[in-house]
Amino acid sequence: MIVSEEQEEEEERCPKPKQHHSRPPSLRLCLLLLTVLVAALFIVTISSLLTSSPYIDSTHNFDLHFSEIKFPPERNRNPTLSHSATFPPSSFTSDLAPPLPPLPQAVIKSKPNIKAVDTTMEESGPYHNWQLFVEDFKEMMRNFKIYVYPDATNQTQSQFGPIFLPHQNPFDPKLGNYFSEHMFKLSLLQSSLLTLHPQQAHLFFLPFSINLLRNDPRVHSEASISEFVSQYITRIRSDFTFWNASAGANHFYVYCHSVGREAASKFLDLRNNAIQVTCSSSYFQRYYVTHKDVALPQVWPRSNDHPLTPPDARHKLVYFSGRIQNSRIRQELIAVWGNDSYMDIFFGSTPFPYEEGFRRSKYCLHVKGYEVNTARVSDSIHYGCIPVIISNYYDLPFANVLNWSKFSVIINQGEIAFIKKRLLSITRQMYLDMYQNLCQVRKHFLWHKTPRGFDSFHMTAYQLWLRRSMHRLSH
């Protein structure tokens, strides 16, 4: 028989009594201790029975429900996105935060109902919490105000005036990757969020264009651009009081050119405190701070919209076309899968129009090039092709609203050799679910001259709304 240390100690303190009629004081003490121990056990047992309740059972059932939910293997949460998959703690900074949504009925039932829980989750579609987002979005539309410094609205005689003005032809195909940068400014100037009274503003927009500075031969270089921006902020700080009130923490600027992150290098308050709204949204890049800065979707200008190719008419498994210079990941992709008959993988020109590859394929690859971002993500969404994102450290646009695992496949850069296996393991029903979710999110990746609905402008503005009262002063 195994004897515990407590039992050994008890036997040492309370040796077995000898068979005689007298009871020494030590024996009486041991009997008293045993009586107290039995009484304590009895009280604990009665207390546990009395405190049992349906509430405790339902709490237990909630844990059981959640632990038994089965996530699809190919749509599991990606570790690089996990910390941005929900609203950050600072998402709601008004005096009274919106009430939390009620628990689903499947959660509060007394017996497990796994099917009901799964149905509740699927109803959220491609969103983390659609109802919560919409309520806060409405609050933004009622109250949010942005002030734009007058350089963007005044036709001055300054030789650099066009750098601040909205682009006269933003749908020019030549703008390419920098379309979103120009459309944000144009949309803001047409938006109800704009205020002409800076005292009412939550945030202040710095309207210089990195794309136009890069194309101006007078500045062009990264060093000249950062010097230009530094002088501009110095003038803003001197002519207006708003910058000094927060050391720039309630100011933001927008860019899609990769040299934009160097623009703030000569002005520390701009670099450390102001909000970057950027297409180059990488956790691994210097000067980009997630939850302070904002990921901007990179979208190309499009003049018309064609009907989507239905799923059954998409006969190719995978499509990718792009340059492979300066990208080890793309070079590996071509080496491994360039000759696979299931895939259309090209570098350089394609034997058919670029857009045709998106229309006839089920999955379209976004593979890291020089930057983590390219327009292929929004191209895939626009043409109804499920994005396969192979770009580590990419802070995906609107990730605290959109559940990217519901309409895309995220693969680590080190798993190029397993792409085909991953995609073929996705069941037809899972693919159709992702396709339907993709159709729902398309509206978030569109720009309009006059912003409307939940388009790219309003979704980006919502990210700024979430950051309107955050204090990020430099030290």
Side-chain angles (χ1 to χ4, degrees), residues 145-414:
K145 294 300 176 186
I146 299 173
Y147 178 77
V148 179
Y149 282 104
D151 306 86
T153 55
N154 291 346
Q155 295 285 348
T156 66
Q157 299 300 318
S158 170
Q159 58 178 337
F160 287 105
I163 299 297
F164 303 96
L165 297 174
H167 200 285
Q168 294 183 350
N169 185 19
F171 284 89
D172 184 352
K174 294 181 180 179
L175 285 179
N177 287 328
Y178 315 114
F179 176 65
S180 293
E181 173 184 321
H182 295 288
M183 283 305 297
F184 180 90
K185 184 190 298 184
L186 181 64
S187 299
L188 176 58
L189 295 176
Q190 301 293 325
S191 168
S192 62
L193 304 182
L194 182 70
T195 180
L196 300 178
H197 307 286
Q199 294 79 9
Q200 299 176 355
H202 297 90
L203 294 179
F204 297 80
F205 176 47
L206 303 165
F208 55 82
S209 169
I210 298 296
N211 175 229
L212 295 181
L213 286 169
R214 183 66 168 172
N215 292 328
D216 192 319
R218 296 169 296 179
V219 283
H220 183 67
S221 69
E222 294 183 10
S224 297
I225 291 174
S226 61
E227 181 62 31
F228 179 94
V229 171
S230 178
Q231 292 181 15
Y232 173 68
I233 299 301
T234 300
R235 177 169 66 83
I236 290 294
R237 187 174 63 174
S238 174
D239 294 348
F240 301 89
T241 61
F242 317 117
W243 178 278
N244 296 329
S246 67
N250 56 0
H251 287 59
F252 70 94
Y253 58 105
V254 178
Y255 68 92
C256 266
H257 204 295
S258 58
V259 303
R261 60 175 162 265
E262 300 294 334
S265 60
K266 292 187 178 181
F267 204 101
L268 294 182
D269 282 350
L270 179 66
R271 187 185 73 189
N272 296 336
N273 303 334
I275 302 170
Q276 296 181 74
V277 181
T278 175
C279 296
S280 303
S281 51
S282 170
Y283 298 121
F284 205 61
Q285 286 286 2
R286 61 177 179 169
Y287 302 152
Y288 182 85
V289 181
T290 184
H291 304 309
K292 173 181 83 71
D293 299 324
V294 173
L296 182 68
Q298 190 164 18
V299 179
W300 271 57
R302 298 184 181 91
S303 57
N304 49 33
D305 191 11
H306 298 282
L308 293 182
T309 305
D312 291 337
R314 297 175 178 269
H315 303 300
K316 274 294 180 180
L317 180 68
V318 169
Y319 171 64
F320 173 80
S321 177
R323 294 182 297 177
I324 63 174
Q325 295 87 342
N326 301 322
S327 176
R328 179 187 59 81
I329 309 303
R330 293 185 182 183
Q331 293 170 9
E332 182 182 353
L333 174 72
I334 295 294
V336 175
W337 300 112
N339 296 320
D340 191 282
S341 59
Y342 279 75
M343 306 183 185
D344 281 337
I345 305 290
F346 303 99
F347 65 95
S349 60
T350 60
F352 45 79
Y354 174 77
E355 297 82 1
E356 182 63 24
F358 291 97
R359 293 193 181 101
R360 69 184 199 175
S361 303
K362 289 181 170 65
Y363 301 95
C364 295
L365 305 186
H366 161 79
V367 186
K368 181 185 181 301
Y370 182 75
E371 298 285 344
V372 295
N373 59 289
T374 72
R376 288 177 185 81
V377 174
S378 59
D379 287 342
S380 300
I381 294 172
H382 179 77
Y383 292 109
C385 187
I386 304 300
V388 179
I389 301 170
I390 310 173
S391 184
N392 295 0
Y393 313 113
Y394 187 9
D395 188 11
L396 291 165
F398 321 136
N400 53 3
V401 177
L402 302 180
N403 186 346
W404 281 80
S405 68
K406 296 294 186 69
F407 59 92
S408 70
V409 180
I410 299 172
I411 298 179
N412 188 281
Q413 292 174 183

